[in-house]
Amino acid sequence: MSGTLLVVNLIVAIALMIALILIPKLNPAISLVIASIYMGVSCGLGFVTSIDTIASGFGNMMASIGLPIGFGVILGQLMSDTGAAKVIAKTIVHSVPNKFVLYAVAIAGFILAIPVFFDVTFIILIPIGIAVAKEVNKPLAYVVGALTIGDGIAQTLVPPTPNPLAAADLLHFNLGTMVIMGLIIGAIATVVSVFIYTKIHDTGFFKPEKDMNPNAELFSEEKELESDKQPSFLVSFLPILIPVVCILTGTGADAYDETPMVAQFLGNKIIAILLGTLCSYLIGYKYLGRDKVEASAGEALKQAGIVLLITGAGGSFGSIISATDIGNALVTTLSINSGSVIKVLFLAYFIGCIFRIAQGSGTVAGITAMTIMATIAPSVSIHPVYIALAALAGGISVGHVNDSGFWVVSNLSGFTVTGGLKTYTVAQIIMSISIMILTLLFALILPGAIG
């Protein structure tokens, strides 16, 4: 089959996937599998081979990151339910002068969103944000934007959340590299994005009389912030710190000719995240009790099921794309060579943007973009982590009314639709562009990445 026809089939598969999500409202995982079947059959693999390839792709993805994702979701839920997440947030926010409080709010969101899903992190932090806005006499829009930026960037770039966890497997590089680059670029992008967002809102961009819902009932910050029994800051931080340290230990040990067995064991993503999860269990036993810990873990697994299904279906789509050898076709059609760094990064970003704007889910957008770009990555003379970062940046580019996060932020903050667009959507656009620019700079200056 000609390279041009392969590319056409890919475009049709993408259009079919988006249409199935938008029109009959099929679950993204089902849409990914149907698009995969079309892609396989239309490219000559046949029905039987296509189904076998889809099944093996799902299985391979789950074998690699299924357990880490499940453990990570439990870890995040327990941090939320024990109050550990809130302790971290309050400590960070109240440790800086008022003039830096928006950056502290964003950093708190960044740290908490490493193990905790976006929606849960925002629910935890918005009562603190409401209190902070009153303390520093700032409109709530400032704090909501800072929360969205910190929360969204970490959720997108730093494992063990699903997209950055999948990035290392889809593009075949060390997970420690994703942790290092995600933390570095994410932290810089957070500070830069909050600065730009603040300057935009200093112009009077947000109009409370039009952009706030006068009938909205906001969280009672006193009720949300007070708790009789909470872990200390250090104890609260351990479930996040342990997996990161373990993964980086394994990455650092890879520099030696013979990696020590202990480092290999601790650096394995399953073990690293398992240890963090066990730590969160120990905290839970002390501050919640055994029955509530069990209920918390059960609730977490309900959330994990959907994420695992979508992630696995992304692996299926990736296996089909790999089996069709479309990578060579894309390289030829787009005139890509080892020096096409900027072209490839913008392509990854653009694919992520299309999926994000069209269907709303950042998880689907990021995984699909990385899956497609995995076929091109070997042809470019930069570390594949940059391709992952560009795809993920595109995957959070424009969150609007078809994105569940938009409604969580708008409703909990008491904003109208226009208020949500001026805060959540604008914040996401700024952080997406910031990540992309930083990715381009790092890729051109340090093509081999760090880690």
Side-chain angles (χ1 to χ4, degrees), residues 167-168 171-181 251 338 341 344-345 377-390 439 442-444 446-451:
L171 289 155
H172 309 295
F173 62 89
N174 190 295
L175 182 62
T177 303
M178 189 70 226
V179 173
I180 294 170
M181 297 305 297
T251 302
S338 61
V341 172
V344 167
L345 293 180
S379 305
V380 190
S381 59
I382 54 169
H383 196 287
V385 71
Y386 294 120
I387 297 175
L389 288 166
T439 299
F442 272 79
L444 294 174
L446 192 67
I450 300 172

Side-chain angles (χ1 to χ4, degrees), residues 251-263:
T251 302
D254 285 343
Y256 295 94
D257 293 334
E258 291 188 16
T259 306
M261 187 63 69
V262 173

Side-chain angles (χ1 to χ4, degrees), residues 18-99:
I18 293 174
L20 289 172
I21 293 171
L22 293 180
I23 300 171
K25 305 293 185 182
L26 292 184
N27 183 279
I30 297 174
S31 303
L32 276 163
V33 171
I34 293 173
S36 299
I37 294 172
Y38 166 81
M39 187 69 188
V41 173
S42 66
C43 293
L45 295 182
F47 282 100
V48 175
T49 303
S50 295
I51 296 301
D52 287 345
T53 304
I54 287 169
S56 65
F58 186 95
N60 291 337
M61 181 63 81
M62 287 298 96
S64 178
I65 65 172
L67 285 174
I69 287 177
F71 293 157
V73 175
I74 294 173
L75 188 162
Q77 186 70 44
L78 286 170
M79 284 191 64
S80 170
D81 292 346
T82 57
K86 196 171 293 182
V87 168
I88 293 171
K90 287 163 57 179
T91 303
I92 293 171
V93 168
H94 294 135
S95 64
V96 300
N98 283 352
K99 64 178 180 179

Side-chain angles (χ1 to χ4, degrees), residues 108-385:
F110 183 88
I111 291 172
L112 294 190
I114 291 174
V116 184
F117 283 139
F118 179 94
D119 294 1
V120 178
T121 301
F122 193 86
I123 290 169
I124 292 169
L125 290 177
I126 187 58
I128 300 173
I130 292 169
V132 165
K134 291 179 179 179
E135 286 176 17
V136 299
N137 196 27
K138 283 274 190 183
L140 186 58
Y142 283 83
V143 174
V144 169
L147 283 180
T148 299
I149 288 167
D151 192 348
I153 289 177
Q155 182 81 181
T156 303
L157 301 186
V158 187
T161 47
N163 273 9
L165 196 59
D169 283 278
L170 290 171
L171 289 155
H172 309 295
F173 62 89
N174 190 295
L175 182 62
T177 303
M178 189 70 226
V179 173
I180 294 170
M181 297 305 297
L183 286 171
I184 293 172
I185 289 182
I188 298 171
T190 297
V191 174
V192 170
S193 298
V194 171
F195 177 80
I196 295 171
Y197 178 89
T198 301
K199 292 302 179 185
I200 290 173
H201 278 261
D202 282 344
T203 64
F205 178 63
F206 189 89
K207 310 290 185 186
E209 64 276 7
K210 293 192 300 184
D211 300 328
M212 293 284 294
N213 181 354
N215 299 318
E217 293 186 11
L218 300 182
F219 274 86
S220 169
E221 61 269 20
E222 289 301 319
K223 182 178 70 176
E224 291 293 323
L225 288 174
E226 293 300 325
S227 177
D228 296 331
K229 196 176 181 184
Q230 291 180 330
S232 67
F233 175 80
L234 180 59
V235 170
S236 299
F237 198 67
L238 283 176
I240 300 175
L241 186 63
I242 288 172
V244 171
V245 171
C246 286
I247 291 170
L248 294 182
T249 297
T251 302
D254 285 343
Y256 295 94
D257 293 334
E258 291 188 16
T259 306
M261 187 63 69
V262 173
Q264 288 184 39
F265 179 76
L266 293 176
N268 183 284
K269 55 181 173 285
I270 294 176
I271 298 302
I273 300 171
L274 173 61
L275 291 174
T277 305
L278 289 175
C279 179
S280 67
Y281 261 95
L282 292 175
I283 296 170
Y285 289 142
K286 180 174 181 179
Y287 293 96
L288 289 177
R290 184 175 300 177
D291 291 343
K292 289 184 178 179
V293 165
E294 183 180 354
S296 180
E299 183 63 31
L301 290 176
K302 292 178 185 178
Q303 301 176 51
I306 297 173
V307 176
L308 288 169
L309 194 61
I310 293 173
T311 306
S316 298
F317 191 52
S319 289
I320 286 288
I321 287 177
S322 178
T324 61
D325 196 31
I326 197 172
N328 290 328
L330 285 169
V331 167
T332 302
T333 303
L334 300 173
S335 302
I336 291 172
N337 54 50
S338 61
S340 304
V341 172
I342 295 177
K343 182 187 293 187
V344 167
L345 293 180
F346 272 110
L347 176 63
Y349 184 79
F350 181 65
I351 293 172
C353 283
I354 291 173
F355 276 91
R356 172 63 160 165
I357 294 168
Q359 52 78 47
S361 170
T363 301
V364 174
I367 286 179
T368 307
M370 289 188 293
T371 298
I372 294 170
M373 293 307 299
T375 60
I376 299 176
S379 305
V380 190
S381 59
I382 54 169
H383 196 287
V385 71

